[in-house]
């Protein structure tokens, strides 16, 4: 039920024992939404994120993971704290302002948010980045402690390990440039789909 292993007994974390490199053949495939697309435009997605948040509050997933700076910031501004945020302080490979830094790592007065750091170069999924996601998941499931993973490099591909390492019943959501927000309900079927994608990566 925690979604740590598949039905063949293989731990999903085992897919990340080496740094994985995305093949060029997957670039177009990965532009397709991995879940339900909520249409909207980046930097003007207030209504979109409100719709996403309303859905999350209705479904009450066991855990929420937001991948990306803009979607994380928009959620926070709308009054919703994701259990894990994965950010790199960049959007479309441009640095975002210092005020965004403060907002994205801000915490409520009654809780301590763990700040985890990991390196992850563009076009890769590193061992350290996957390990940080696993640590964030365990921190929340075991201690109900929220985390922000600050990536040095690029966080785009970390949606894939976020889905694989999240518990069943969780929701991973991320922004797609000029398309909207993609909401992925973590199920065994989705994990199988992502496993197929990960197997196409090279070490």
């Amino acid at each position: 039920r925690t979604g740590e292993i598949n039905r063949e007994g293989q731990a999903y974390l085992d897919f990340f024992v080496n740094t994985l490199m995305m093949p060029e053949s997957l670039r177009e495939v990965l532009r397709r939404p991995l879940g339900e697309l909520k249409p909207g435009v980046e930097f003007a997605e207030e209504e979109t994120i409100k719709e996403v948040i309303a859905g999350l509050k209705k479904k009450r997933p066991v855990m929420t993971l937001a991948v990306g700076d803009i979607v994380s910031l928009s959620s926070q501004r709308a009054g919703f704290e994701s259990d894990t945020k994965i950010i790199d302080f960049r959007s479309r490979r441009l640095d975002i302002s210092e005020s965004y830094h403060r907002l994205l790592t801000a915490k409520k007065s009654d809780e301590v948010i763990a700040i985890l750091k990991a390196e992850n170069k563009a076009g890769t999924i590193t061992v350290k980045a996957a390990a940080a996601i696993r640590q964030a998941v365990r921190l929340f499931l075991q201690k109900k402690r929220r985390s922000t993973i600050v990536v040095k490099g690029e966080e785009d591909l970390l949606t894939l390990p976020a889905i694989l390492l999240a518990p069943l019943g969780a929701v991973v959501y991320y922004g797609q440039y000029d398309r909207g927000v993609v909401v992925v309900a973590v199920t065994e079927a989705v994990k199988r789909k992502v496993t197929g994608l990960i197997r196409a990566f090279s070490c």
Side-chain angles (χ1 to χ4, degrees):
R1 285 194 298 269
T2 59
E4 292 189 6
I5 63 174
N6 62 23
R7 287 189 176 268
E8 288 69 50
Q10 182 175 18
Y12 290 113
L13 191 61
D14 290 347
F15 287 107
F16 307 104
V17 295
N18 296 297
T19 292
L20 301 178
M21 292 173 283
M22 182 189 72
E24 194 61 30
S25 60
L26 273 187
R27 190 171 297 278
E28 286 302 317
V29 174
L30 291 173
R31 285 178 179 158
R32 300 171 193 160
L34 292 167
E36 182 183 3
L37 175 65
K38 303 288 187 180
V41 180
E42 192 174 27
F43 297 108
E45 61 179 13
E46 286 188 12
E47 293 307 312
T48 306
I49 206 67
K50 285 178 182 177
E51 182 183 351
V52 171
I53 291 169
L56 292 174
K57 288 181 177 179
K58 184 177 180 180
K59 292 178 181 176
R60 300 182 67 182
V62 297
M63 183 179 184
T64 57
L65 300 91
V67 183
D69 294 71
I70 301 302
V71 75
S72 297
L73 184 63
S74 298
S75 297
Q76 196 162 347
R77 282 178 165 170
F80 183 81
E81 283 286 349
S82 301
D83 301 317
T84 293
K85 298 191 290 279
I86 304 174
I87 60 175
D88 60 11
F89 293 134
R90 292 169 70 83
S91 178
R92 301 299 292 172
R93 299 187 177 177
L94 298 174
D95 289 332
I96 60 176
S97 71
E98 186 64 31
S99 61
Y100 278 39
H101 288 226
R102 290 194 296 271
L103 280 168
L104 284 167
T105 55
K107 61 190 177 186
K108 293 180 180 178
S109 59
D110 61 342
E111 70 175 342
V112 176
I113 295 178
I115 305 296
L116 310 175
K117 296 184 178 182
E119 292 188 10
N120 198 77
K121 293 182 180 179
T124 71
I125 300 172
T126 66
V127 176
K128 288 184 178 179
I133 294 170
R134 187 70 195 99
Q135 183 181 355
V137 170
R138 286 186 169 174
L139 275 173
F140 184 74
L141 293 181
Q142 296 173 4
K143 300 181 179 180
K144 297 302 178 186
R145 186 176 176 187
R146 293 190 172 101
S147 302
T148 297
I149 299 172
V150 179
V151 175
K152 182 180 180 182
E154 194 171 288
E155 98 288 272
D156 291 9
L157 290 176
L158 299 186
T159 300
L160 300 177
I163 292 170
L164 283 188
L165 299 173
L168 297 174
V171 167
V172 176
Y173 64 106
Y174 62 97
Q176 267 201 329
Y177 183 66
D178 275 346
R179 294 193 68 186
V181 178
V182 180
V183 181
V184 185
V186 178
T187 63
E188 289 186 76
V190 169
K191 285 182 182 257
R192 283 194 298 271
K193 179 179 179 179
V194 172
T195 295
L197 295 172
I198 288 293
R199 284 183 169 141
F201 279 60
S202 59
C203 297

